Amino acid sequence: MTDNKTITTRIDALRSAMKQHGIDAYIIYSDDGHLGEYTPERWKGREWISGFDGSAGKVIVTANKAGLWTDSRYFLQATEQLEGSPIKLYKEEVAGFPTMEEFLTQELTPGQVVGLDGTCASQSTIDALRKKLTAFELRLNTEYDLLDEVWSNRPAIPNNPFRYQPVEYSGESTRERIERLRKEFAKNGANATILVTLDEVCWAFNIRGNDVECNPVGVAYGVITSNEAVLFTFEEKVPNNVRQELEDNGVTIQSYNEVVRFIEKLTPQDRLFVDRNKINGKLYDAIPKNTPIIEGTSIVTMQKSYKNDTERACVRKAMHVDGVALTRFFKWLEEALAKGKTYTEYEIEGILSSFRAKSPDYIGDSFSTIAGYNGHGAIVHYHATPEGSYTIKNDGVLLLDSGAQYKYGTTDITRTISLGEKNPNPELIEDYTLVLKGHITLAMAKFPEGTRGNQLDILARKALWDRGWSFGHGTGHGVGVALNVHEGPQNFRTDNNPTPMAVNTFTSNEPGIYRANKWGIRIENLVFTIEKETTEFGKFLGFETVTLCYMDNRLVKKELLTEAEIEWYNNYQETVYRELSPSLNEEEAQWLRNKTKAI
């Protein structure tokens, strides 16, 4: 953790740079030049300036104040990491705390200037902020990356080499994928687009990288027009075999820094499809005024969300391999604790990764494992450190949220398990069962085609809402295939998302409940959206759960479940045993058999 004296020194340096450029308040977002949730070290400016290392948050620095805005997932973490620093925590969507925009309009006076690096903010973010500031006669300057002036040892842009993702995993060649995108552009009256986010670039060009922790992506931009497909990256990132594959599929490679000049040369004949959420301010400003812009949800993101037959088969393979590793891990943990051994949360994270790493197809974790023992489980995005870890004993409850990247697929799973031979706390069992009810209710949902995720989100929350309880995070996010563990556009959340659930999209189902200083409970599986039936009232969709890992029978209060929910639960447990047991030895299979008995 960065010490408070260092944080103060960095803020003072930033204030000096602000003064030199006539900027009265400066915003540092979590995004990088590719608008990623997870960023290379070079763009972790918000963490550098504040010491807060959660994945979401914004810092504002004025001449005499500094604040961090983040959501409920990180309130506890941010409180701990900001303690004693000159940065105040502002809790998003909590009464009594001003929004970022309200803070700016309260602290500044007409004519003053708000600055931010336009490379690290989406155009939609810039548009919304400028509109609010203009109403108070405040100006917005997106020209300067002030961190580059004050961050003396700032890491360079990573230049790890790309690798080519073969058709046996992607299901289509790069040329086929680009042609599919061109046809989709044409349906919308467009013939070109700019690819900014790294997962879009890697998906469209069938490449993978190692520039971002836990995400198999590499730094690059892309532009696809009616007659060109260009990858903008660094020369050393493209090995000869990857270059040959790309060129054979009609892709040309140009320097990373040439992307702005390429965009500036677009013509009125280039009808550019733009998703303002998926393009940064610097690239948007480079678009010529006479180039027609057609706006909508990113066509690349939409097409990426529809998993083809090969991708779905690869997902199932990844789920099987991951399920075997998890079974062996949980068996090992139970037996080790029963022998009186203890491990810290931090140690458990590494041990779990070692079980997954026994697969030759394992690349790495898909995000930083959350191993929350007892009260630490209540910190939604808890990350254990060697110094602050709890020691896990043969008693209590463990929340384990983890995932892996395999060559052909990505996994994300959360299990909450009771430890030891003591009967679990009755309150814990009730909490767990109500979370389980929500998980099952969403998993069993059947709904008309065109239904959105926010319309289904209530299904995962109702059992908790009926008690006056809730949880402060989304119920589910899209998941990539050998790509980012978080992707869109579909999700399950309370806030409105216009994107409907569609056949062959891949999403998490993860309701939870969190009791401060007691425990956290979350149950997460991944689901495919599938077609269920067509009636006189139209097509109805539903979900197929594909994650394979047992759930803890000891934490289930059967009386709180309906007959349909019990049937789903028992069928799921039986499926886990049936699918995984052939890959286990006799002792492991028997252990799993005991864990998956019908309730």
Side-chain angles (χ1 to χ4, degrees), residues 34 50 112 148 260 323 332 354 364 368 403 412 449 508 556:
H34 298 269
S50 69
Q112 289 193 294
D148 217 33
V260 171
W332 165 85
S354 73
S368 295
D412 182 1
E449 187 175 37
S508 69
V556 180

Side-chain angles (χ1 to χ4, degrees), residues 111-141:
Q112 289 193 294
V113 179
V114 176
L116 59 87
D117 177 10
T119 306
C120 295
S122 70
Q123 187 60 35
S124 62
T125 296
I126 292 171
D127 289 341
L129 179 61
R130 179 177 280 119
K131 182 178 180 180
K132 291 180 180 179
L133 295 179
T134 300
F136 289 84
E137 299 181 54
L138 299 174
R139 293 183 290 143
L140 182 62
N141 183 320

Side-chain angles (χ1 to χ4, degrees), residues 274-566:
V274 171
D275 182 341
R276 287 176 181 245
N277 294 311
K278 293 283 188 175
I279 186 170
N280 66 43
K282 181 178 181 179
L283 296 189
Y284 187 86
D285 287 344
I287 300 171
K289 301 302 180 186
N290 62 358
T291 297
I293 291 178
I294 299 162
E295 293 193 27
T297 300
S298 168
I299 287 173
V300 180
T301 288
M302 292 295 295
Q303 292 302 305
K304 176 163 60 66
S305 73
Y306 309 139
K307 313 310 181 191
N308 61 38
D309 291 347
T310 299
E311 290 172 320
R312 295 198 304 276
C314 285
V315 165
R316 296 180 198 284
K317 182 178 180 180
M319 293 299 163
H320 183 94
V321 171
D322 209 51
V324 170
L326 285 162
T327 300
R328 289 172 172 157
F329 166 79
F330 280 121
K331 179 178 182 293
W332 165 85
L333 178 63
E334 180 178 275
E335 293 171 350
L337 294 178
K339 293 175 182 176
K341 296 182 179 179
T342 59
Y343 302 89
T344 66
E345 296 161 325
Y346 184 80
E347 289 171 330
I348 285 295
E349 292 181 7
I351 293 170
L352 173 56
S353 296
S354 73
F355 273 84
R356 286 184 162 123
K358 292 175 182 177
S359 166
D361 298 325
Y362 171 83
I363 294 173
D365 292 347
S366 58
F367 57 96
S368 295
T369 296
I370 300 169
Y373 180 57
N374 289 342
H376 275 170
I379 304 174
V380 179
H381 276 201
Y382 172 69
H383 180 60
T385 63
E387 302 80 17
S389 285
Y390 285 167
T391 296
I392 299 170
K393 302 177 183 179
N394 201 32
D395 185 25
V397 60
L398 176 66
L399 184 155
L400 195 60
D401 186 349
S402 68
Q405 296 285 5
Y406 298 97
K407 293 177 181 178
Y408 36 73
T410 303
T411 68
D412 182 1
I413 176 174
T414 309
R415 287 295 183 265
T416 306
I417 62 170
S418 177
L419 302 176
E421 297 181 358
K422 293 182 181 178
N423 291 327
N425 186 315
E427 294 178 6
L428 170 67
I429 291 175
E430 186 158 322
D431 279 359
Y432 182 93
T433 306
L434 293 175
V435 172
L436 178 63
K437 278 181 72 72
H439 178 94
I440 295 173
T441 303
L442 181 58
M444 293 195 305
K446 185 161 69 173
F447 49 92
E449 187 175 37
T451 301
R452 303 184 303 275
N454 64 299
Q455 294 173 300
L456 298 169
D457 186 81
I458 177 65
L459 298 177
R461 298 177 187 265
K462 185 178 183 304
L464 296 172
W465 284 4
D466 286 345
R467 304 288 184 102
W469 306 344
S470 191
F471 55 94
H473 57 77
T475 302
H477 54 84
V479 180
V481 178
L483 263 179
N484 293 1
V485 74
H486 290 166
E487 70 169 30
Q490 84 286 353
N491 58 29
F492 302 117
R493 298 186 70 87
T494 53
D495 52 312
N496 185 47
N497 178 352
T499 304
M501 303 306 297
V503 172
N504 295 333
T505 53
F506 187 37
T507 316
S508 69
N509 171 4
E510 50 179 309
I513 191 168
Y514 308 92
R515 306 286 190 185
N517 302 315
K518 294 174 68 176
W519 55 67
I521 297 166
R522 189 159 62 249
I523 303 170
E524 178 184 17
N525 284 334
L526 303 185
V527 301
F528 278 128
T529 303
I530 60 173
E531 183 176 342
K532 299 287 279 190
E533 66 174 332
T534 299
T535 72
E536 60 185 298
F537 298 99
K539 186 181 295 184
F540 282 76
L541 310 182
F543 301 116
E544 176 192 2
T545 297
V546 293
T547 299
L548 295 170
C549 183
Y550 81 95
M551 297 184 192
D552 193 346
N553 286 352
R554 296 180 63 197
L555 291 173
V556 180
K557 187 175 182 179
K558 186 176 178 179
E559 295 77 13
L560 293 177
L561 300 179
T562 66
E563 289 300 318
E565 290 164 352
I566 293 170

Side-chain angles (χ1 to χ4, degrees), residues 161-189:
F162 284 110
R163 64 181 185 278
Y164 199 74
Q165 189 73 346
V167 174
E168 66 179 294
Y169 299 153
S170 66
E172 58 188 332
S173 69
T174 303
R175 186 183 298 276
E176 291 170 331
R177 190 156 278 182
I178 290 171
E179 286 304 316
R180 170 151 67 99
L181 291 171
R182 285 173 173 151
K183 290 177 182 178
E184 293 299 321
F185 299 152
K187 292 178 184 178
N188 290 270

Side-chain angles (χ1 to χ4, degrees), residues 56-202:
K58 301 168 282 284
V59 166
I60 297 179
V61 175
T62 68
N64 52 24
K65 289 186 179 181
L68 167 76
W69 279 257
T70 192
D71 61 57
S72 61
R73 295 173 297 169
Y74 297 107
F75 289 167
L76 293 176
Q77 178 182 340
T79 298
E80 292 177 0
Q81 293 183 329
L82 296 180
E83 185 178 1
S85 86
I87 300 176
K88 179 181 177 181
L89 172 62
Y90 292 87
K91 298 180 179 180
E92 292 180 342
E93 299 184 5
V94 173
F97 290 93
T99 65
M100 184 182 76
E101 295 82 5
E102 288 170 344
F103 173 87
L104 290 169
T105 58
Q106 291 166 7
E107 293 296 320
L108 303 182
T109 57
Q112 289 193 294
V113 179
V114 176
L116 59 87
D117 177 10
T119 306
C120 295
S122 70
Q123 187 60 35
S124 62
T125 296
I126 292 171
D127 289 341
L129 179 61
R130 179 177 280 119
K131 182 178 180 180
K132 291 180 180 179
L133 295 179
T134 300
F136 289 84
E137 299 181 54
L138 299 174
R139 293 183 290 143
L140 182 62
N141 183 320
T142 64
E143 182 180 354
Y144 301 114
D145 177 5
L146 294 187
L147 291 184
D148 217 33
E149 299 182 22
V150 300
W151 190 348
S152 59
N153 58 343
R154 188 175 190 177
I157 296 174
N159 61 358
N160 300 303
F162 284 110
R163 64 181 185 278
Y164 199 74
Q165 189 73 346
V167 174
E168 66 179 294
Y169 299 153
S170 66
E172 58 188 332
S173 69
T174 303
R175 186 183 298 276
E176 291 170 331
R177 190 156 278 182
I178 290 171
E179 286 304 316
R180 170 151 67 99
L181 291 171
R182 285 173 173 151
K183 290 177 182 178
E184 293 299 321
F185 299 152
K187 292 178 184 178
N188 290 270
N191 60 15
T193 198
I194 303 167
L195 286 69
V196 174
T197 65
L198 302 185
D199 59 331
E200 284 196 352
V201 173
C202 287

